[in-house]
Amino acid sequence: MTARRVLSAEISHETNTFSVLRTGMDAYLRRQCYFGDEIAAHMSGTATEIAAHIDAARTYGWELIPTVAAHATPSGMTTAEAWEELCSVVLAGLDTGPVDGIMLALHGAMVTESTQDAEGDLLKRLRDRLGNNVPIAVTLDLHANVTDRMATLADILVPYRTYPHIDQYEVATEAASLLQRAMEKDIKPVTIVARRPTLDGLNHGRTQEGPMVELLARAAEIKAADPSVLEIGLCAGFAWSDIAETGPSVSVTTNGNAAKGRQIAQSLMQFVWNTRAINTVPLLSLSDVAISMKQGQTGNGPLVIGDTTDNPGGGGYGDGVRLLETLIRNGVENAAMAAICDPSVAEHAHAEGIGARIAISLGAKIAPGTYGPPIETDATVIALSQTGAFVCDGPMWANMEVRLGRSALLDISGVKTVIASSNLQITDQQAFKLFGIDPAALDVIAVKSSHHFRAAFQPIACDVVLVDSGCLVSQNYDSFNYKNLRRPIWPLDKNLK
């Protein structure tokens, strides 16, 4: 029997449309961008969706057509030019001959200069070439804004079920098994999506406690009881993408029974609506964090602080310095922070060398009017890295190499601070270990992250808190000028029932 030919691609970007930055090909190349045969060389054996594509091809005897594996740090809209370049690589895979199936690793909250629904646009381009008879399986981030077009054009949607996202490989493996069944004509999948007029919900997607945990359990029960229900996807949405269909959603993939899928999706989505206001991890102010630090440790291990509103993983610029300023002002000892993105300061440190005492103007360079000013001070250069490259040891992105770019470790008034040239959410202890710091030996750790950092840092922490440092990824949605979002919608419109 001739091997089935399956096209594989990843284009992943979580787009904060309120960012003043644009995301070009350079941003994908800095973070992760591999083509053709180099994809397997870099991504086999990692805890990623693409690695699952590669392994599924071996399991099912597919002839895999690798096209692109591109993932940029969340930021502003992808440029029209970059989008066309990435799409053209995927579509070129169809020129190699007929395909039997498609495996896509997408985010679900990607916006470009030319389209508000990038994932739906890519799927439409594929359908225009393939027609409706070639099954397409898509994995999505748990924070996807799942559009009607995505559900219509993809046969199978499988979002992550963990936040922090530590099940990317497993979710893609499940999607591959469904694609195999669809290619064998064992199933005829159809996907329905439901939403409500809410911008927020499911406890921001946290899978440790709260309504997301309860709804995941309900979904698992439904699937276990009814084999015709192939997948139930629960997405918390990404509120900082200003498109019509932003917000939480429930998608249901059934074996040819759209009516059943619609009933299940609407029922579960009503639960999302009813619990929309539940938030189990409120944000502390900078003054509250200062109090927490002064109170000292309540157990073994460091206090870990997530600088959530400057989270590069949500499109934050990563160069906010108000939390660092708070650490310095309160005389915190044995503390470290990673990472403040400031290429000019990193270059200055490299120019002067290890041991140098340098004058710096640190941070708040991209939009200083909203979260400035920079910190003007002196610092000592402790360590340098030409690439800032390290291999994650997990559990998130295990075995993947990521890069801070040309970077430095500075002592700033006693706080060891990682200065990066590439904006990167800190999810792994290796970001500190690269510079000779043992995170477990610290009293205070500050990271630019909202939640993913918990996978690596909570096991060593005495406590974990989130702080609102006044930056771009604010949960005060009234502060944003939404133009495309459907209205009315909660919490912008308060009296919805």
Side-chain angles (χ1 to χ4, degrees):
M1 179 180 175
T2 304
R4 291 190 171 90
R5 303 183 78 243
V6 175
L7 184 145
S8 164
E10 175 186 15
I11 305 176
S12 182
H13 187 249
E14 187 175 63
T15 306
N16 188 321
T17 59
F18 301 105
S19 170
V20 300
L21 302 177
R22 288 293 181 266
T23 306
M25 280 302 299
D26 59 327
Y28 289 91
L29 291 166
R30 279 197 306 271
R31 177 67 178 84
Q32 173 204 301
C33 195
Y34 305 118
F35 300 97
D37 292 339
E38 68 180 5
I39 295 171
H42 287 91
M43 301 193 69
S44 291
T46 62
T48 65
E49 294 147 276
I50 286 294
H53 294 192
I54 295 166
D55 290 348
R58 296 192 189 99
T59 298
Y60 299 115
W62 298 342
E63 178 188 340
L64 199 66
I65 307 165
T67 58
V68 62
H71 182 165
T73 291
S75 51
M77 288 185 284
T78 290
T79 63
E81 293 79 8
W83 178 238
E84 291 304 319
E85 182 173 344
L86 292 168
C87 286
S88 69
V89 175
V90 177
L91 294 173
L94 300 179
D95 297 333
T96 63
V99 299
D100 301 289
I102 306 282
M103 282 287 294
L104 299 177
L106 307 177
H107 184 283
M110 183 175 181
V111 182
T112 78
E113 291 176 331
S114 53
T115 177
Q116 292 186 15
D117 177 11
E119 290 85 359
D121 181 55
L122 176 60
L123 288 165
K124 178 66 164 56
R125 296 180 192 217
L126 288 167
R127 285 295 180 209
D128 286 345
R129 292 279 302 271
L130 295 171
N132 295 322
N133 293 326
V134 174
I136 300 177
V138 180
T139 51
L140 295 171
D141 192 284
L142 181 150
H143 295 102
N145 295 319
V146 183
T147 66
D148 292 341
R149 184 162 70 159
M150 290 161 58
T152 298
L153 296 175
D155 300 277
I156 299 157
L157 294 179
V158 188
Y160 310 153
R161 299 187 188 90
T162 63
Y163 181 38
H165 305 325
I166 59 173
D167 63 339
Q168 296 167 327
Y169 180 93
E170 290 76 13
V171 160
T173 298
E174 179 182 339
S177 70
L178 291 173
L179 180 67
Q180 175 70 9
R181 292 177 64 189
M183 290 189 296
E184 291 175 343
K185 310 299 183 185
D186 177 49
I187 56 173
K188 188 175 182 180
V190 58
T191 298
I192 299 293
V193 63
R195 63 184 67 83
R196 291 287 186 276
T198 181
L199 186 60
D200 210 346
L202 287 175
N203 194 27
H204 297 278
R206 299 183 187 100
T207 52
Q208 291 73 39
E209 57 186 343
M212 188 66 168
V213 175
E214 183 174 344
L215 204 59
L216 282 166
R218 289 192 190 185
E221 290 173 0
I222 293 169
K223 285 180 61 179
D226 189 344
S228 72
V229 179
L230 304 174
E231 175 55 37
I232 298 176
L234 309 177
C235 288
F238 184 69
W240 300 274
S241 281
D242 181 17
I243 69 170
E245 293 165 287
T246 290
S249 65
V250 176
S251 59
V252 180
T253 300
T254 61
N255 187 9
N257 193 333
K260 178 184 289 185
R262 187 170 293 106
Q263 185 274 323
I264 294 170
Q266 293 293 352
S267 174
L268 296 182
M269 194 62 215
Q270 187 60 42
F271 175 85
V272 179
W273 173 253
N274 293 342
T275 60
R276 64 191 181 278
I278 295 176
N279 180 9
T280 62
V281 186
L283 308 189
L284 301 182
S285 67
L286 289 166
S287 58
D288 288 336
V289 165
I291 292 171
S292 295
M293 291 186 294
K294 288 177 180 178
Q295 289 174 340
Q297 296 168 276
T298 58
N300 295 324
L303 169 68
V304 182
I305 306 167
D307 192 357
T308 183
T309 58
D310 196 33
N311 172 27
Y317 302 130
D319 71 339
V321 290
R322 300 285 76 82
L323 177 55
L324 175 60
E325 185 178 66
T326 301
L327 295 173
I328 294 169
R329 183 181 297 128
N330 286 274
V332 178
E333 298 179 355
N334 195 27
M337 183 172 189
I340 293 176
C341 184
D342 193 324
S344 63
V345 172
E347 285 298 323
H348 188 186
H350 276 264
E352 297 300 323
I354 294 173
R357 187 74 176 167
I358 60 175
I360 59 173
S361 176
L362 178 65
K365 291 184 170 67
I366 296 173
T370 59
Y371 60 96
I375 290 178
E376 309 285 347
T377 189
D378 292 335
T380 301
V381 182
I382 302 173
L384 299 169
S385 173
Q386 291 292 337
T387 64
F390 58 88
V391 176
C392 298
D393 57 10
M396 188 170 172
W397 291 324
N399 301 321
M400 275 292 294
E401 181 183 270
V402 296
R403 296 173 291 276
L404 294 165
R406 202 159 150 92
S407 49
L409 180 68
L410 304 183
D411 184 321
I412 306 176
S413 298
V415 180
K416 294 181 175 66
T417 307
V418 177
I419 311 299
S421 294
S422 294
N423 197 17
L424 185 70
Q425 178 179 189
I426 301 303
T427 64
D428 201 280
Q429 292 188 35
Q430 291 297 328
F432 292 96
K433 292 179 179 179
L434 172 67
F435 297 98
I437 297 174
D438 177 9
L442 295 168
D443 290 334
V444 177
I445 299 172
V447 292
K448 298 284 187 180
S449 181
S450 291
H451 194 71
H452 285 319
F453 72 94
R454 288 178 182 266
F457 291 92
Q458 187 143 4
I460 65 169
C462 68
D463 196 11
V464 176
V465 297
L466 298 182
V467 64
D468 181 350
S469 63
C471 293
L472 182 64
V473 196
S474 171
Q475 293 178 19
N476 177 18
Y477 304 125
D478 289 312
S479 66
F480 297 102
N481 182 23
Y482 288 94
K483 297 179 180 179
N484 303 304
L485 183 65
R486 67 194 184 281
R487 301 294 290 267
I489 195 167
W490 185 90
L492 300 180
D493 303 295
K494 310 297 183 185
N495 297 320
L496 293 176
K497 296 181 179 180

